[in-house]
Amino acid sequence: MKKIINQVENIVDEMLKGIVKAHPDHLKRVEGFNVLVRKDAPVAGKVALISGGGSGHEPSHGGFVGRGMLDGAVAGEVFTSPTPDQVFEGIKVIDSGKGVLLIIKNYSGDVMNFEMAAEMAEMEGIKVDKVIVNDDVAVENSTYTTGRRGVAGTIFVHKIAGAAAEEGMELSEVKRVAEKVIANTRTMGMSLGPCIVPAAGKPSFELGEEEIEMGLGIHGEPGTHRESISSADEITTHMVEKILSDIPFDEGQEVAVLVNGLGATPLMELYIANRKVAELLEERKLKTVKTIVGNFMTSLEMPGFSVSIIKLDKELKELLEKTADTPAYK
Amino acid sequence: MKKIINQVENIVDEMLKGIVKAHPDHLKRVEGFNVLVRKDAPVAGKVALISGGGSGHEPSHGGFVGRGMLDGAVAGEVFTSPTPDQVFEGIKVIDSGKGVLLIIKNYSGDVMNFEMAAEMAEMEGIKVDKVIVNDDVAVENSTYTTGRRGVAGTIFVHKIAGAAAEEGMELSEVKRVAEKVIANTRTMGMSLGPCIVPAAGKPSFELGEEEIEMGLGIHGEPGTHRESISSADEITTHMVEKILSDIPFDEGQEVAVLVNGLGATPLMELYIANRKVAELLEERKLKTVKTIVGNFMTSLEMPGFSVSIIKLDKELKELLEKTADTPAYK
């Protein structure tokens, strides 16, 4: 295992220190916790948003802390849910009295621990609510979930619900917007190979020289099937069709697209894939109003990518287009 | 070779199409050429900046086309200089009459072809000038250069000279600023492994299971030496010391830092390295006023990273802090 790390047990702590050193204008760390919050938290008069999960998905979620997106992000160990006390601490620090929305990716551990933290917060009189993101169309249940997994489409929840909160909406309204994003977002991913969890020290699975896995999860959970590698266009077409067959679209529907790298895929390849995504959506007479290409929800150094598509109505489109100012999304 | 590509010969064309589809508000392609220019090019009354080089370094350079940075970027084949006619076409499209500055990374092929394009432009009465970036402290000469290589520090040239042009400076002044950036910028890189140039289909070199290469170039050119992998802190310390021993710094000097991923290094690891960079600079009583962490000058899917440090005076600091609006830097 070759990695730019020191002691395995210090990875998350040292990473958080490095983020704070890089982005002191955007965020600060809650002392003694693996929690990053907006530098100006709590923001008076604003509903606060918190997300998080296992580390190894950077820039998710700390990179999205800032004006117009998250107020807090909780970092667990690599591919491991943060504990309830960490999440609870984050909730306490960011709550301005207007309440806190928890944005949880659908993984059993995350759901359990965030819900436990929500209960702890309610017991202290903090108003909390939650949404569970389940955008992955690949599989119905998975190694770590009941129901669909929450993957890269979560970025749209952070962005759009974050804008709703910034606009001054109440907690119930911010939740309504977040639920609408979730209902209209679908993601499909694929991988060319595994990644290595530092504490394990070896790849989580093996793929043959010419083999790829379709529908893989962001922790290396199995997807729908393995196949021989084909062209970028064939792979991308399969992914987009899987998404479009899952949610009915009308001609002229406005959408936004996220072509997300899993960590080791060159931007060159993501753009080649994006070219095909754009072409396929044009053929279906969908109107792409925003496209995001890059590494947003990674899986350590996994090679591969995902495509997320969100159907936009007027409200979602306007909120998506609001400015945000975070380390990883502006 | 597993890559998200179609025909090898179409990679650059398809990548450029994918970039334009993703960023139609920032840039457009010069029809029939592998040249991206600002959507509003030529920008009246403004000195224009053009850069470029082989493809495979994305987001360099097309990702930096936009307000406050580049007016044009020319994309050669992977790791291959763009031809003079391509560069010439870019110069013609972006020139508003105020002249064009060519920002060339020091590689023999780039220097030759950009200079030839400059001559062609001059023959057509276009005012042009050039700067050559040579920030890499690793080696004095290299496989593809006489003198030091131009690598990730080029981003500081794009940003700061771009701001100078946006402020309305004349060509000679923009060049003076760019030269000052180059004189004050140093970069040192390292790699954990090779990348695969698509047309070659196999890795450009081999490293042992536990071996790393210090000072490697962005095309896989040899560095200073190979050694066994050590901790992130040891590697980072070596890199920062190599830089600081190359350029005299006084206590209290203001600097900016770029921790740049080469393509396949997780952001987690870049932040761990950044934590150590920040610590080392604090020990030397240098004052870091800006830190940039991410993939800016990549080498396809090479694992590894570089550290760039620039000494800032009042002028450079103010220009660095101006806003820019490009796909990869805001």
Side-chain angles (χ1 to χ4, degrees):
Chain A
M1 173 178 68
K2 284 191 211 171
K3 286 181 183 285
I4 312 291
I5 57 173
N6 296 299
Q7 298 300 101
V8 167
E9 57 270 30
N10 296 336
I11 284 177
V12 174
D13 176 62
E14 292 181 352
M15 171 184 75
L16 294 175
K17 284 178 176 150
I19 296 178
V20 172
K21 285 289 178 193
H23 305 292
D25 296 341
H26 290 101
L27 44 77
K28 61 189 178 191
R29 182 170 179 176
V30 179
E31 218 184 303
F33 291 85
N34 291 340
V35 180
L36 297 173
V37 298
R38 265 176 75 155
K39 198 185 173 184
D40 53 354
V43 182
K46 191 184 87 69
V47 169
L49 269 61
I50 192 165
S51 190
S55 293
H57 303 302
E58 292 70 31
S60 291
H61 296 272
F64 303 113
V65 172
R67 190 181 50 76
M69 292 184 81
L70 299 178
D71 296 81
V74 191
E77 291 302 311
V78 176
F79 291 179
T80 302
S81 294
T83 53
D85 62 306
Q86 298 270 344
V87 181
F88 176 43
E89 189 66 23
I91 293 171
K92 281 192 289 186
V93 173
I94 62 175
D95 179 45
S96 71
K98 295 273 285 183
V100 178
L101 184 69
L102 282 60
I103 301 172
I104 312 169
K105 297 196 300 302
N106 190 31
Y107 288 96
S108 304
D110 284 1
V111 173
M112 189 175 69
N113 289 356
F114 274 77
E115 285 184 345
M116 214 174 294
E119 281 169 30
M120 291 158 79
E122 277 168 346
M123 278 164 53
E124 291 223 0
I126 300 174
K127 201 161 62 172
V128 289
D129 211 332
K130 66 164 198 279
V131 294
I132 296 177
V133 188
N134 60 349
D135 53 315
D136 189 346
V137 299
V139 292
E140 273 311 315
N141 297 294
S142 81
T143 317
Y144 308 121
T145 60
T146 307
R148 289 178 164 184
R149 301 174 294 215
V151 289
T154 308
I155 311 308
F156 286 126
V157 185
H158 294 349
K159 175 65 194 73
I160 295 174
E166 206 72 47
E167 293 288 293
M169 287 188 190
E170 297 297 326
L171 181 56
S172 61
E173 281 292 283
V174 177
K175 178 179 174 164
R176 176 187 62 74
V177 167
E179 296 279 22
K180 185 158 63 165
V181 173
I182 294 167
N184 285 285
T185 301
R186 298 290 187 278
T187 298
M188 173 74 184
M190 64 80 59
S191 168
L192 301 164
C195 58
I196 298 179
V197 174
K202 54 175 208 248
S204 46
F205 61 92
E206 302 278 350
L207 278 176
E209 273 288 304
E210 299 294 322
E211 203 177 28
I212 64 174
E213 181 143 359
M214 300 301 295
L216 201 92
I218 54 173
H219 311 94
E221 313 92 306
T224 55
H225 66 284
R226 293 179 174 189
E227 59 184 46
S228 286
I229 186 160
S230 52
S231 70
D233 283 4
E234 287 169 294
I235 292 168
T236 305
T237 301
H238 176 90
M239 291 162 76
V240 170
E241 282 183 353
K242 181 94 182 166
I243 291 170
L244 295 185
S245 68
D246 195 80
I247 186 169
F249 286 86
D250 291 323
E251 284 189 8
Q253 169 72 50
E254 292 188 316
V255 298
V257 172
L258 166 62
V259 178
N260 172 60
L262 293 181
T265 296
L267 196 47
M268 163 182 275
E269 298 177 28
L270 298 182
Y271 279 126
I272 289 172
N274 181 55
R275 173 198 130 273
K276 188 63 186 177
V277 173
E279 192 179 298
L280 291 165
L281 297 184
E282 280 162 24
E283 278 169 16
R284 304 288 188 107
K285 302 207 174 4
L286 293 167
K287 197 170 161 221
T288 305
V289 298
K290 188 172 186 67
T291 303
I292 307 165
V293 179
N295 291 346
F296 291 89
M297 178 75 74
T298 62
S299 191
L300 296 168
E301 70 285 346
M302 189 178 280
F305 73 109
S306 63
V307 177
S308 302
I309 299 175
I310 175 173
K311 282 169 65 171
L312 298 168
D313 63 8
K314 186 166 173 291
E315 179 182 47
L316 296 187
K317 182 184 173 188
E318 282 175 7
L319 291 169
L320 178 61
E321 286 175 350
K322 297 276 177 200
T323 59
D325 184 19
T326 73
Y329 190 104
K330 285 182 169 67
Chain B
M1 174 178 66
K2 284 191 210 170
K3 287 181 184 285
I4 311 293
I5 57 175
N6 296 298
Q7 299 301 101
V8 168
E9 57 271 30
N10 296 336
I11 285 178
V12 175
D13 176 62
E14 292 181 352
M15 171 184 74
L16 294 174
K17 284 178 176 150
I19 295 178
V20 173
K21 285 290 179 195
H23 306 291
D25 296 341
H26 290 101
L27 44 79
K28 62 189 177 189
R29 183 172 179 175
V30 179
E31 217 184 304
F33 291 84
N34 291 339
V35 180
L36 298 173
V37 299
R38 265 175 75 154
K39 197 182 175 186
D40 53 354
V43 183
K46 192 184 88 70
V47 169
L49 270 59
I50 192 165
S51 190
S55 292
H57 304 302
E58 291 69 31
S60 291
H61 295 273
F64 303 114
V65 172
R67 190 181 51 74
M69 290 184 83
L70 299 178
D71 296 83
V74 191
E77 292 301 310
V78 175
F79 291 0
T80 303
S81 294
T83 54
D85 62 304
Q86 297 270 343
V87 181
F88 177 43
E89 190 66 25
I91 292 171
K92 282 192 288 185
V93 172
I94 62 175
D95 179 45
S96 71
K98 295 273 286 182
V100 178
L101 184 69
L102 282 60
I103 300 171
I104 313 169
K105 294 196 301 302
N106 190 31
Y107 288 95
S108 304
D110 284 2
V111 173
M112 189 174 69
N113 289 357
F114 275 77
E115 284 183 348
M116 213 174 294
E119 282 169 28
M120 293 158 80
E122 276 168 348
M123 279 164 53
E124 292 224 358
I126 300 175
K127 202 162 59 172
V128 289
D129 212 332
K130 66 163 197 281
V131 294
I132 297 178
V133 188
N134 60 349
D135 54 315
D136 189 346
V137 299
V139 292
E140 272 312 313
N141 297 293
S142 80
T143 318
Y144 307 121
T145 61
T146 307
R148 289 179 164 181
R149 300 173 296 215
V151 290
T154 308
I155 310 310
F156 285 126
V157 185
H158 294 349
K159 174 65 195 74
I160 295 175
E166 206 73 47
E167 292 289 294
M169 286 190 193
E170 297 298 326
L171 181 56
S172 61
E173 282 292 282
V174 176
K175 179 182 173 161
R176 177 187 61 75
V177 166
E179 296 280 21
K180 185 158 64 166
V181 173
I182 294 167
N184 285 285
T185 302
R186 298 289 186 281
T187 298
M188 173 75 185
M190 66 78 61
S191 168
L192 300 165
C195 59
I196 298 178
V197 174
K202 56 175 204 252
S204 47
F205 61 93
E206 301 279 350
L207 279 176
E209 274 288 304
E210 298 294 322
E211 204 177 26
I212 63 174
E213 181 144 358
M214 300 301 295
L216 200 94
I218 55 174
H219 312 94
E221 315 93 304
T224 56
H225 66 282
R226 293 182 174 187
E227 59 183 47
S228 285
I229 187 162
S230 51
S231 69
D233 283 3
E234 287 170 293
I235 292 167
T236 306
T237 302
H238 176 89
M239 293 162 77
V240 170
E241 282 183 353
K242 182 92 180 166
I243 291 170
L244 295 186
S245 67
D246 195 80
I247 186 169
F249 287 87
D250 292 323
E251 284 191 5
Q253 170 71 51
E254 291 188 318
V255 298
V257 171
L258 166 61
V259 177
N260 172 62
L262 293 180
T265 296
L267 196 47
M268 164 183 274
E269 298 178 27
L270 299 181
Y271 278 126
I272 289 172
N274 181 56
R275 172 199 132 273
K276 187 64 185 176
V277 173
E279 193 179 297
L280 291 165
L281 297 183
E282 280 162 26
E283 279 170 15
R284 304 288 189 107
K285 303 208 175 359
L286 294 167
K287 198 173 159 217
T288 306
V289 299
K290 188 172 185 66
T291 303
I292 308 165
V293 180
N295 291 346
F296 291 89
M297 178 74 75
T298 61
S299 191
L300 296 168
E301 69 285 348
M302 188 177 281
F305 73 110
S306 63
V307 177
S308 303
I309 299 176
I310 176 173
K311 282 168 65 171
L312 298 169
D313 62 8
K314 185 164 174 292
E315 181 182 47
L316 296 187
K317 181 184 171 186
E318 282 175 9
L319 291 169
L320 178 60
E321 286 175 350
K322 298 274 176 201
T323 58
D325 183 20
T326 73
Y329 190 105
K330 284 184 171 68

